[in-house]
Amino acid sequence: MNEKKFKLPISGNQLVLICALVGVTVIFSVLNPNYFTYTNLINILVSSTLIGLTSIGITFLIMTGGNDLSAGAVAAFAGVFVAWALKATSLPWPLLCLAAIAIAAVAGLLNALMVTKLNIVPFIATLASQSVWRGFAYLVCGGKPVSVADKGFMAFGKSRLGGDNGIPYTVILMVVFFVIFAYILAKTKFGRSIFAIGGNAEAARLAGINANRVKTICYVMTSMFAALAGIILAARMNSGQPAASPNLHFDAITAANLGGVSMVGGVGSIPSVVLGVLLVQAFNSGLNMVGVSSYWQYVARGMLLFASLAIDFYRQRTRARRLLADSMKAL
């Protein structure tokens, strides 16, 4: 008689992330009783919007073997551009947001061309792009923050479903995008192409997959999501800040890596990345609430990324051993 083994509805990595999230919540709640309150939990969700949106593109990109260090700079440029354009023109804010996202798509396309056509290492290509778009952000506004007075635009970043104590619409927007792209990654031909390219680029090419085209789409998508995050931040802060989002790409990469996205590509899932995003933002919020200095916060964030990379290395080694054992059994 065969006994059916009990199987959890979530993966082992997701269970670890949930436990880590609970642990972080307990620790910071003990250190500051205001941490585990409805208001702060909503604030964590609101702050997660920027990392969450950016992490969607970063997840797809890393899974193909790429990376993008320019996301924070593109976000800052988009926010500054919309704020400046609202003052300089009489165009409606939704049109200006679309224009900023279109410019961001060009930024992503340039990143893709450097990587796929010029064969520049993604780290170097996007590091150069980071400097370019951060520079453009300062040039557009002359190095000074640009205030926003458009009530419709400000409402875009601050309005809530259910009144002042409700769920912000930007959080709902993030959840919708998570659901859509979780489906794309898990259930569509494009999603299967992402796994194939990251797992074995040569085998994917022989299977008829245009790896360069898929990577280009991922780079463009990453920049567009970063621009949307920057626009939301500008609407929330009532101004476009050229120095904004300096750690956005860092936090998004950390969240994706904690969520099980392998830095060598080919492995990942959006539901796990959602947990990674919540863990990163809960950690960052906790550091602020217990009064940790900004200098030590840089150290703490670096240690968190180091821990996620160490975990990723362990996962890769375990995966390799499992594949070797399976192949030996087959022989």
Side-chain angles (χ1 to χ4, degrees):
M1 183 176 177
N2 293 326
E3 294 184 0
K4 291 184 178 181
K5 293 183 178 180
F6 175 74
K7 188 176 181 181
L8 290 172
I10 58 175
S11 67
N13 184 62
Q14 290 172 350
L15 182 61
V16 170
L17 288 171
I18 291 172
C19 292
L21 189 57
V22 171
V24 167
T25 302
V26 169
I27 291 171
F28 286 121
S29 296
V30 171
L31 296 175
N32 187 334
N34 292 323
Y35 183 84
F36 193 66
T37 61
Y38 176 78
T39 300
N40 187 57
L41 294 179
I42 291 295
N43 289 336
I44 290 175
L45 287 177
V46 170
S47 301
S48 297
T49 304
L50 308 182
I51 302 173
L53 290 171
T54 307
S55 70
I56 296 173
I58 289 288
T59 296
F60 277 68
L61 189 55
I62 292 177
M63 288 182 65
T64 64
N67 214 324
D68 190 353
L69 302 183
S70 68
V74 171
F77 171 81
V80 169
F81 174 83
V82 173
W84 167 82
L86 282 170
K87 277 192 169 184
T89 71
S90 58
L91 295 173
W93 68 265
L95 183 61
L96 295 176
C97 291
L98 291 176
I101 292 173
I103 296 173
V106 174
L109 181 60
L110 292 175
N111 286 340
L113 290 175
M114 285 191 288
V115 172
T116 61
K117 300 300 182 183
L118 301 181
N119 293 321
I120 300 176
V121 177
F123 176 86
I124 301 299
T126 58
L127 186 63
S129 182
Q130 178 192 73
S131 180
V132 169
W133 291 102
R134 184 69 69 177
F136 279 146
Y138 279 100
L139 287 170
V140 167
C141 64
K144 298 178 181 179
V146 183
S147 61
V148 173
D150 190 293
K151 293 182 179 179
F153 180 63
M154 290 188 289
F156 169 64
K158 298 177 182 178
S159 295
R160 301 189 176 207
L161 178 65
D164 293 339
N165 294 321
I167 305 296
Y169 283 109
T170 53
V171 173
I172 297 172
L173 180 65
M174 176 185 67
V175 172
V176 169
F177 274 122
F178 270 133
V179 172
I180 292 172
F181 282 87
Y183 177 82
I184 290 173
L185 184 60
K187 301 295 183 180
T188 67
K189 182 179 178 181
F190 180 74
R192 290 191 292 272
S193 298
I194 298 291
F195 284 101
I197 293 169
N200 191 321
E202 181 60 21
R205 185 187 67 81
L206 294 175
I209 298 174
N210 189 331
N212 285 346
R213 183 176 65 183
V214 172
K215 289 181 179 180
T216 298
I217 293 172
C218 291
Y219 274 106
V220 170
M221 187 171 71
T222 300
S223 292
M224 292 175 73
F225 271 120
L228 178 57
I231 291 168
I232 290 173
L233 180 62
R236 191 187 303 158
M237 296 177 65
N238 302 338
S239 65
Q241 305 273 352
S245 309
N247 301 312
L248 182 60
H249 60 282
F250 185 92
D251 287 339
I253 292 171
T254 302
N257 195 227
L258 282 171
V261 179
S262 175
M263 296 303 290
V264 298
V267 178
S269 75
I270 293 296
S272 295
V273 172
V274 172
L275 293 173
V277 168
L278 293 176
L279 179 58
V280 168
Q281 191 54 52
F283 182 73
N284 291 343
S285 177
L287 293 177
N288 284 323
M289 292 193 69
V290 298
V292 176
S293 74
S294 59
Y295 308 123
W296 279 108
Q297 286 188 35
Y298 278 109
V299 175
R301 287 173 174 171
M303 293 300 293
L304 183 62
L305 178 57
F306 177 79
S308 71
L309 292 173
I311 294 170
D312 182 45
F313 172 77
Y314 173 77
R315 283 194 298 248
Q316 290 176 39
R317 190 172 63 174
T318 302
R319 197 177 301 117
R321 287 177 175 175
R322 190 182 302 119
L323 290 173
L324 179 60
D326 291 342
S327 62
M328 292 299 292
K329 286 180 180 179
L331 291 173

